Amino acid sequence: MLLCPVLLAVTQAFTQQFERSGGEPQSIIALAPSPKPQGALLARRAGDATFEHAPANYHVFAAATAGEDAGVETLTLNFAAETKLTRIESKNKDFVVEPGGTCHEGNSYGRGKICTLTVRFNPQGPGHRLGFLSITHTAAATPMVFGLVGNGYAPVVSFIPALITTIGQTSGVSAGTIKSATRLAIDGSDTLYIADTGNNLYKEIDSSNTITKITPSYAPPLSIAVDSFGDVYNINTQSQYYFGYISPLGSQSAFSNTYTPTTCTESSPCSMDTGVGWGAPANTSMDANDNLFLQEATEGAVEMPVAAVAGGGSSFDFWHLNAPLALPGTNAPSFAVDGSGNLYSSLMATTGSKLCWIVEETLATAATTAPDYSRVAGGSKCGFSGDGAQAGNAEISSNIGQMAFDVAGNLYFADAGNQRVRRIDALTGIIRTVAGSGGNGYNGDQGPATSADLSNPTGVAVDSQGQVYILSSSPASAATQVVRKVWASGYLSFPALDKGLSGSLLTVTVSNSGNHELTFEGAATFSGGNAGDFAIDPKTTSCVTPGGTLEVGESCVIGILFSPSGTGLRGTDLYLPDNTIAGRSLIEVTGTGVLPQPNMSITAPASGSTITAGATVTFSASVKPSVISQQPTGTVKFEVNGTVIGNPVTLSSTGTASTTFVEEAAGSYTLSAVYSGDSNYAAETVPETVTVATIKTPVTVSLIPAVESAYGCGATSFAVQVSAKTGGSPTGTVELLSNSTVLASARLQNGAATLSPHALPPGSHTFVARYNGDSTHEAAISPSVGMTAPSSRGSCGGGLPLPGPER
């Protein structure tokens, strides 16, 4: 049952006093009908929009090539009452009001009068173009708006990788917040539409990234499509209504019919007015001739020529395409239609192993009871692989979001399970990643899209400039989303590279995603910033030769070399002069230069060596050139276990520095040579480990009877000398022993001491001197010395005792 149409003020700028479903417009000002161009004057390629059912108050322009003079066309305005024109404004740069007409701001026109406007169609992009002419006048509070359409032809350069950003207002918490959305759409003026399911809104984002909210008169929108005239068509979440449309001039219609089994064919279509409904309608898609396609659960795909409705020529008539591959079921597969009406669906089937495919059905096969299909993408298993090769051999995930086409016919799809958006080239069948690193997250803005993390990308759309819009989750929550934009400009980011080093290479893919041949009209040049740090690599570059061309859908590669002449962020722009609308295309190139590390080593002592405690050790380092030939300059600071030894030592002209140190305590030590760096080389620290051990020097001990008694009773004291070849004079104590008995001891002075024993028993004795060693000298014992003590003191002159030990 037809519940509406109703007239609603959708946007204040475009609110009108008529509806698009039929009848003559009731307004003070009307656009007089004019002959519509025919044949090649209107559409130069098969599958281009013909605007056959253009509504009243729309003017269809002859096709035009961007940048070429297509002449002007005359629009005639009819006046139904006295009014004064206060403003004449084109709402789109594709259509330019030029001097020469008789309609002028400030002029008044009476009932039955006419005036003319001269308008030039100057397409700002390829494909069907859509604009609006706004006439502000005194007879009504709202402007009168006229639609302007025509096919534009222009090359468009797309780059992989390209710059990615977030459309600012979509990341806010107020008007821009998007929730639980899955589908995007773009019209001929490059306005982006979002079916904001969670907020029960449509959202429009224009070229200035301004967001406008539209409240539909029916349940939350699920899927969305736009025709050549700016009408927005929606499938909702099956609350009260499940199908509706909004005219850019103000009216809304919505339908909610219960499904009844009915045969609806192209020769005998069904009408929404008769109450024939659908079961679980899902994704919508529009072809170039304004045929709306959608999925529904009872029969498969549905085709509905909505262009006739827009022109007021008929009701919403539709027929089923018996395409079981497009049946939504519980979880609707992805679904889209290309410019020629071929159907594309994601196919996830279990036949022993899970298959993840994207398949294509032509309209001819989709209309049969046993449709045939061909595999467009997907290999023998689910996963991620195949970029840069044929899509039919590539792996895709089991979670495929929205699919969309650009003007050249390339297929884009949200490979949500792989956190990527990928493209299949129509001309070659090669698959490439357009955005997404494979990481699940939200980062990478202002950098290469292929290095950014995406989070569950669901929606994807492509505008006439080849810019890709991606609907994905934001950090706030899984249900809160942002729109991220992959721009037309390319973006290469080189990893950090040593200053002066050459040979770092990255490539960028250049594609013509427009509908007209691309010509490179001059030499590609680096300009601005650090242009001298970058160069085109002739070995890997297959295009940009002046005079070279890229056909529609064709791609080539540019190789770029990076050789930083300085440190820090380095950047420049590579400009490609061409015949695009802007006259040139741009690749932003950045990289980071860092100072190279010198060839540095500790030359003494050797790593792992053992040195003697208390010994003087020479600590030396060598700092030599690495990437460049200049000899490093600066200083070296020497450290032992983190403690600095003396002052930093200036490098010699040959790049050496040394110092000395003494370490008394045994143990394992870390030696570090710390280079200060200079204008050519980065600072560097080289550590090594050595062992400090108590390794003592052997000594020689001599024992000599030195003093005789005054009574002639033999030696009563001994001279001891302890000597070593290295390590200085021994220190410490020496002892006099006889038969293991210590008779006397003394401390060495300059390696010598005198030992005087107490009285000895009569008889023969053997003496040795024992040196006990010090921190650097080993202990040792002298050769033995023999002597005889007298039998009685009396025989020693008066019986005096032997002298006691030396005090």
Side-chain angles (χ1 to χ4, degrees):
M1 178 177 69
L2 180 64
L3 299 178
C4 323
V6 294
L7 295 178
L8 295 177
V10 179
T11 60
Q12 184 175 4
F14 293 153
T15 300
Q16 295 302 308
Q17 300 130 11
F18 66 94
E19 66 181 79
R20 301 275 298 281
S21 57
E24 293 298 321
Q26 302 298 314
S27 59
I28 301 300
I29 307 174
L31 183 64
S34 61
K36 188 177 67 173
Q38 300 295 319
L41 292 178
L42 182 65
R44 298 176 182 173
R45 300 191 317 170
D48 285 342
T50 59
F51 309 105
E52 181 180 354
H53 299 286
N57 283 331
Y58 272 70
H59 182 85
V60 179
F61 285 79
T65 300
E68 296 181 3
D69 185 1
V72 296
E73 297 191 22
T74 301
L75 282 64
T76 301
L77 304 184
N78 294 326
F79 294 87
E82 178 77 21
T83 189
K84 180 180 180 181
L85 303 184
T86 58
R87 184 169 178 79
I88 301 171
E89 180 184 12
S90 173
K91 293 289 188 177
N92 189 290
K93 293 181 180 180
D94 294 69
F95 304 92
V96 182
V97 179
E98 296 194 349
T102 60
C103 298
H104 299 290
E105 295 177 358
N107 284 3
S108 296
Y109 301 89
R111 177 183 175 85
K113 297 299 182 179
I114 64 170
C115 69
T116 59
L117 290 170
T118 54
V119 180
R120 184 182 301 277
F121 179 32
N122 181 28
Q124 299 301 295
H128 67 262
R129 310 303 296 165
L130 171 66
F132 294 94
L133 185 65
S134 176
I135 308 294
T136 306
H137 57 98
T138 59
T142 57
M144 183 64 201
V145 177
F146 304 111
L148 310 172
V149 293
N151 280 314
Y153 294 87
V156 169
V157 175
S158 298
F159 295 102
I160 301 177
L163 176 70
I164 190 171
T165 63
T166 296
I167 295 180
Q169 293 189 39
T170 69
S171 61
V173 295
S174 55
T177 302
I178 305 167
K179 295 181 180 179
S180 304
T182 59
R183 296 295 183 269
L184 304 173
I186 287 181
D187 69 13
S189 64
D190 288 332
T191 296
L192 179 71
Y193 296 84
I194 307 167
D196 190 354
T197 306
N199 289 314
N200 192 20
L201 294 171
Y202 289 119
K203 287 194 170 81
E204 295 181 8
I205 303 178
D206 64 17
S207 58
S208 67
N209 292 335
T210 300
I211 296 180
T212 302
K213 297 186 293 185
I214 305 172
T215 303
S217 62
Y218 37 84
L222 173 64
S223 184
I224 193 168
V226 188
D227 68 15
S228 300
F229 308 109
D231 291 293
V232 181
Y233 299 86
N234 168 71
I235 295 295
N236 67 29
T237 56
Q238 304 177 60
S239 258
Q240 183 179 2
Y241 310 117
Y242 62 71
F243 171 72
Y245 87 103
I246 299 177
S247 162
L249 305 186
S251 63
Q252 292 193 35
S253 291
F255 299 84
S256 179
N257 299 327
T258 302
Y259 171 72
T260 55
T262 307
T263 301
C264 304
T265 64
E266 185 173 4
S267 59
S268 180
C270 298
S271 172
M272 296 295 293
D273 296 341
T274 63
V276 177
W278 304 316
N283 298 309
T284 58
S285 187
M286 190 80 64
D287 74 5
N289 288 298
D290 294 329
N291 295 302
L292 178 68
F293 293 79
L294 56 91
Q295 295 168 294
E296 65 96 18
T298 57
E299 301 290 343
V302 169
E303 181 178 357
M304 177 187 292
V306 295
V309 178
S314 67
S315 62
F316 285 102
D317 294 336
F318 67 89
W319 53 88
H320 287 107
L321 303 171
N322 294 313
L325 296 177
L327 286 172
T330 303
N331 297 311
S334 298
F335 173 79
V337 61
D338 65 14
S340 300
N342 300 309
L343 279 62
Y344 292 76
S345 304
S346 59
L347 176 62
M348 308 299 151
T350 302
T351 56
S353 62
K354 195 165 188 178
L355 297 179
C356 298
W357 290 356
I358 294 175
V359 298
E360 174 194 5
E361 302 169 83
T362 66
L363 272 176
T365 60
T368 68
T369 56
D372 191 14
Y373 62 87
S374 60
R375 177 161 52 99
V376 174
S380 59
K381 62 180 180 178
C382 304
F384 174 75
S385 70
D387 270 6
Q390 289 297 308
N393 297 322
E395 294 175 2
I396 63 176
S397 75
S398 59
N399 182 10
I400 302 299
Q402 188 174 7
M403 294 186 287
F405 293 89
D406 64 17
V407 175
N410 302 313
L411 171 63
Y412 297 73
F413 66 96
D415 193 348
N418 286 316
Q419 309 298 346
R420 290 175 167 90
V421 171
R422 303 171 80 179
R423 184 184 81 193
I424 302 172
D425 292 349
L427 191 65
T428 62
I430 291 176
I431 188 171
R432 297 180 172 91
T433 292
V434 172
S437 66
N440 184 0
Y442 174 59
N443 59 49
D445 276 356
Q446 307 299 330
T450 50
S451 298
D453 288 345
L454 303 178
S455 180
N456 189 34
T458 55
V460 62
V462 189
D463 69 13
S464 67
Q465 308 305 312
Q467 299 175 130
V468 182
Y469 298 84
I470 303 167
L471 186 64
S472 64
S473 297
S474 72
S477 70
T480 303
Q481 298 159 294
V482 294
V483 176
R484 305 184 74 178
K485 181 177 180 179
V486 181
W487 290 75
S489 55
Y491 197 104
L492 280 184
S493 180
F494 284 85
L497 185 65
D498 288 343
K499 172 187 173 182
L501 191 65
S502 60
S504 184
L505 171 69
L506 291 177
T507 61
V508 58
T509 299
V510 185
S511 302
N512 180 5
S513 57
N515 60 1
H516 190 274
E517 181 184 74
L518 173 71
T519 301
F520 298 104
E521 297 186 336
T525 56
F526 293 98
S527 179
N530 312 109
D533 288 4
F534 302 90
I536 293 176
D537 176 36
K539 296 179 180 178
T540 55
T541 298
S542 59
C543 56
V544 304
T545 301
T549 61
L550 279 181
E551 297 298 328
V552 173
E554 191 175 6
S555 298
C556 63
V557 173
I558 299 175
I560 299 178
L561 297 168
F562 177 42
S563 179
S565 61
T567 59
L569 184 64
R570 319 292 292 174
T572 189
D573 294 325
L574 175 60
Y575 291 100
L576 312 178
D578 52 36
N579 64 330
T580 59
I581 293 169
R584 64 181 186 179
S585 300
L586 167 68
I587 305 171
E588 186 176 351
V589 189
T590 65
T592 300
V594 296
L595 288 175
Q597 300 293 326
N599 289 324
M600 183 176 177
S601 63
I602 294 176
T603 55
S607 178
S609 63
T610 300
I611 58 180
T612 303
T616 299
V617 180
T618 299
F619 190 177
S620 302
S622 171
V623 185
K624 299 295 185 180
S626 57
V627 172
I628 55 179
S629 60
Q630 285 89 339
Q631 172 63 49
T633 59
T635 61
V636 175
K637 180 173 60 177
F638 295 94
E639 299 176 352
V640 178
N641 278 357
T643 299
V644 178
I645 304 170
N647 296 319
V649 179
T650 300
L651 282 173
S652 70
S653 60
T654 59
T656 60
S658 64
T659 189
T660 60
F661 72 95
V662 176
E663 187 57 54
E664 298 288 349
S668 179
Y669 288 79
T670 298
L671 308 184
S672 299
V674 183
Y675 170 54
S676 64
D678 63 11
S679 60
N680 293 313
Y681 291 97
E684 175 75 305
T685 298
V686 178
E688 72 171 31
T689 301
V690 297
T691 299
V692 176
T694 307
I695 301 177
K696 300 183 178 182
T697 303
V699 297
T700 300
V701 181
S702 300
L703 178 65
I704 305 169
V707 181
E708 292 187 0
S709 168
Y711 305 100
C713 294
T716 58
S717 64
F718 298 83
V720 180
Q721 182 70 44
V722 182
S723 59
K725 292 183 178 181
T726 60
S729 295
T731 60
T733 62
V734 290
E735 298 170 319
L736 181 67
L737 289 84
S738 176
N739 299 324
S740 301
T741 300
V742 177
L743 301 178
S745 65
R747 182 169 295 278
L748 291 174
Q749 293 183 356
N750 296 322
T754 299
L755 296 173
S756 298
H758 295 281
L760 298 173
S764 298
H765 296 275
T766 301
F767 299 94
V768 295
R770 182 172 67 189
Y771 171 56
N772 294 317
D774 61 16
S775 62
T776 58
H777 296 88
E778 295 179 345
I781 297 176
S782 70
S784 61
V785 175
M787 67 168 290
T788 301
S791 60
S792 69
R793 288 191 178 93
S795 63
C796 294
L800 294 176
L802 292 172
E806 185 180 277
R807 294 288 187 265

